[in-house]
Amino acid sequence: MEKKFYLTTPIYYVNDIPHLGHAYTTTATDIIARFERFLGKDVFFLTGTDEHGLKIQKAAEKKGLSPKELVDSLVPMFKELWKKLNISYDRFIRTTDSDHIKAVRHIFTKCYENGDIYLGEYEGWYCVPCETYYTEKDLIEGNLCPMCKRPVEKIKEESYFFRLSKYEDKLLELYEKNPDFIKPDFRKKEVTNFVKQGLKDLSISRTGFTWGIPVPLNENHVIYVWFDALTNYLTAVGYPENKEMTKNYWPADLHLVGKDILRFHTIYWPAFLMSAGLDVPKEVFAHGWWTVEGEKMSKSKGNVINPYELVEKFGVDRIRFFMFREVAFGMDGDFSYSKLVARINGELANDLGNLFNRTLSMIKKYKGEIIPQPSGEITEIDKEIEKRAVETFDAIKTLIPKAELTKALDKIWQFINFVNLYIDRTAPWNLNKEGKEELNRVLYNMVEALRFITIFTSPFMPESGSKMAEMLNLDNDELKHESFKTWGNLKSGKKLNEPKILFPRIEYNNGEVKIAKTKKG
Ligand code: MSP
């Protein structure tokens, strides 16, 4: 088994405070990072901020700040949000970091030396909010950006170009030979079709403003913000100086991105890397976009969801769970408070919380909180629960590293529902009444199932995962991934800890959240 796993979020523009979209990509990456660590991999999880470019310079001017003052004032908001969301990143990179500036200049020089960069003149359109070049025919009516639908600017200036056209065939070959390079598959088709229509050389420097990394050999130019930003993935693994670190972690195993920035990651980025003689990442996974109550999130509509406030109101794990349960990861989805509350009460309070609650109270009532040694006859449904637990573990071991997070949650909830069914079918209350020995096996199986569920749900809901492990009094051996290869590694004879309510039901009324004071859930 390969030992390292290097995964990244996009680096976020710091022209404004973070919103739900930012929280979404970062939490997804965190879930995968936590699961890979649990599997014993040497994980390197990178996130950070994209701080150069015209968009930031303009946002700063508007506020009467220097670009550096603006980004310095906003970076702490991102870091606080990640703390609030329990994001376990290994490095928070900023494109104004000195090692990054060196790395960008180095790779630029490499591409130049390899004959892929030349000086010319750019004449065309530019969308500042998207930091993207467009030709006339790309625009939508009224000279608007096809992505964000805002007005674009016409520019005509001296520029360095990257010979992107030279990489057309190499890129198509890359997509074909590496079916996992672009995920989901329908996105791969989109990118492939785009490349097949032909690629033009790409302008990779600007002269109209100064907030960026100067081009080596010609300091009148600043490097195009996307060339700068993409290189962050190399900087963080020591490129170009720390060869040992680069060798250890590069190529990245997974870049997680939103669908809007997939082309940058699957066309420009591999082309730059090939030009510099470096390996390309193994997988780029694009997720969809959130709308809010059916509408695009936007400042002017005043419907931007602030993830910090969302977590304050509902609690971190409920939000982490909701984002990946509600919408198939990879597809677009819609946020609404009613859907959030329905998921929380239906699946967290009822299905999962209540399962813990009923199991722990039965162990308390029938066995004085001690996990019994399984005994008595083994029935079909006992075999079934064993089989399903191990199968679920196997399934999520393949799904989570491939960013199939909603599919993984589906499997996990199928198992949770099965365990609830197991309890209803075996009816431990009757076994107890009738003094049947099988009660021991059924109760043991219930707790063993909870041990599996603890591990399945922990990457998604780390805080609750720790609470579950604590309630079940699990020791290190019982939490090791090897102990989930087979059923029955839960130790008997141990005392469970005091049960706590994991997910109390909530009531939501006009922006107010009330946590129910019920014993259930
Ligand atoms: N700075 C670039 C990325 C450079 S990576 C080398 C950038 N930054 S961003 O801040 O605009 O967006 C970052 C991520 O947030 C993107 O992956 C984007 O898809 C995601 N989202 C922004 N709005 C979103 C939604 N409404 N819904 C889901 N994700 C969205 O692009």
Side-chain angles (χ1 to χ4, degrees), residues 264-519:
F264 299 92
H265 283 81
T266 54
I267 300 174
Y268 299 173
W269 183 224
F272 300 157
L273 289 164
M274 287 178 199
S275 168
L278 294 158
D279 288 340
V280 302
K282 293 191 191 149
E283 177 173 341
V284 181
F285 186 101
H287 64 69
W289 267 45
W290 284 97
T291 49
V292 176
E293 317 265 357
E295 295 213 55
K296 196 175 171 216
M297 247 198 299
S298 88
K299 255 189 156 175
S300 51
K301 285 199 192 104
N303 66 347
V304 178
I305 299 284
N306 178 330
Y308 197 93
E309 286 170 11
L310 208 58
V311 170
E312 288 259 287
K313 268 191 188 160
F314 291 92
V316 58
D317 283 347
R318 292 184 175 101
I319 299 302
R320 286 179 63 116
F321 165 76
F322 175 75
M323 290 192 284
F324 301 97
R325 180 70 171 145
E326 177 63 24
V327 175
F329 195 56
M331 307 307 286
D332 290 337
D334 187 50
F335 178 91
S336 80
Y337 287 99
S338 56
K339 288 183 206 160
L340 174 62
V341 173
R343 289 281 179 191
I344 292 174
N345 287 340
E347 296 182 351
L348 291 182
N350 286 356
D351 300 347
L352 177 58
N354 211 16
L355 172 62
F356 264 78
N357 204 269
R358 63 202 290 222
T359 303
L360 267 67
S361 44
M362 281 188 239
I363 300 272
K364 189 171 177 177
K365 198 159 148 201
Y366 306 144
K367 297 287 163 189
E369 291 179 340
I370 309 288
I371 304 170
Q373 178 85 36
S375 63
E377 200 192 324
I378 302 177
T379 62
E380 276 312 305
I381 198 157
D382 294 322
K383 286 186 203 146
E384 185 70 17
I385 197 170
E386 284 189 22
K387 192 172 133 244
R388 286 188 184 230
V390 176
E391 274 174 7
T392 308
F393 186 46
D394 285 343
I396 67 173
K397 264 200 292 197
T398 349
L399 292 170
I400 296 181
K402 296 246 155 276
E404 296 286 6
L405 301 180
T406 310
K407 284 189 191 150
L409 277 177
D410 282 347
K411 293 275 177 203
I412 296 168
W413 248 258
Q414 276 167 23
F415 183 65
I416 290 172
N417 290 333
F418 184 79
V419 181
N420 274 315
L421 185 86
Y422 174 84
I423 300 175
D424 297 341
R425 290 270 171 83
T426 53
W429 44 91
N430 287 340
L431 297 175
N432 179 58
K433 227 190 294 164
E434 293 157 16
K436 291 257 174 71
E437 197 187 344
E438 279 71 23
L439 177 65
N440 291 332
R441 175 168 315 280
V442 168
L443 292 178
Y444 178 90
N445 283 350
M446 284 158 62
V447 186
E448 176 63 330
L450 294 191
R451 186 178 75 101
F452 273 78
I453 290 168
T454 300
I455 285 310
F456 297 162
T457 53
S458 282
F460 294 89
M461 302 186 284
E463 236 171 66
S464 309
S466 308
K467 271 195 216 158
M468 295 178 202
E470 163 72 21
M471 278 196 263
L472 302 179
N473 196 9
L474 300 177
D475 63 26
N476 283 341
D477 285 344
E478 289 166 311
L479 289 166
K480 279 201 186 122
H481 78 96
E482 293 89 353
S483 75
F484 294 89
K485 283 190 181 139
T486 52
W487 180 263
N489 290 317
L490 171 79
K491 294 173 189 163
S492 309
K494 269 201 315 187
K495 197 170 184 312
L496 297 178
N497 285 323
E498 197 49 41
K500 290 193 192 96
I501 307 290
L502 276 174
F503 300 106
R505 292 180 69 81
I506 59 165
E507 279 167 34
Y508 183 77
N509 264 322
N510 279 333
E512 284 296 307
V513 180
K514 264 205 247 143
I515 309 273
K517 293 213 168 39
T518 137
K519 282 231 152 14

Side-chain angles (χ1 to χ4, degrees), residues 9-13 15 19-22 24-25 50 55 129 226 229-233 256-261 265 287-291 297:
T9 74
I11 48 172
Y12 303 104
Y13 290 129
N15 56 318
H19 59 63
L20 183 65
H22 302 125
Y24 190 46
T25 328
D50 191 352
K55 176 186 174 106
W226 270 102
L230 288 161
T231 304
N232 92 88
Y233 303 132
L256 269 169
V257 300
K259 63 178 184 180
D260 52 318
I261 57 172
H265 283 81
H287 64 69
W289 267 45
W290 284 97
T291 49
M297 247 198 299

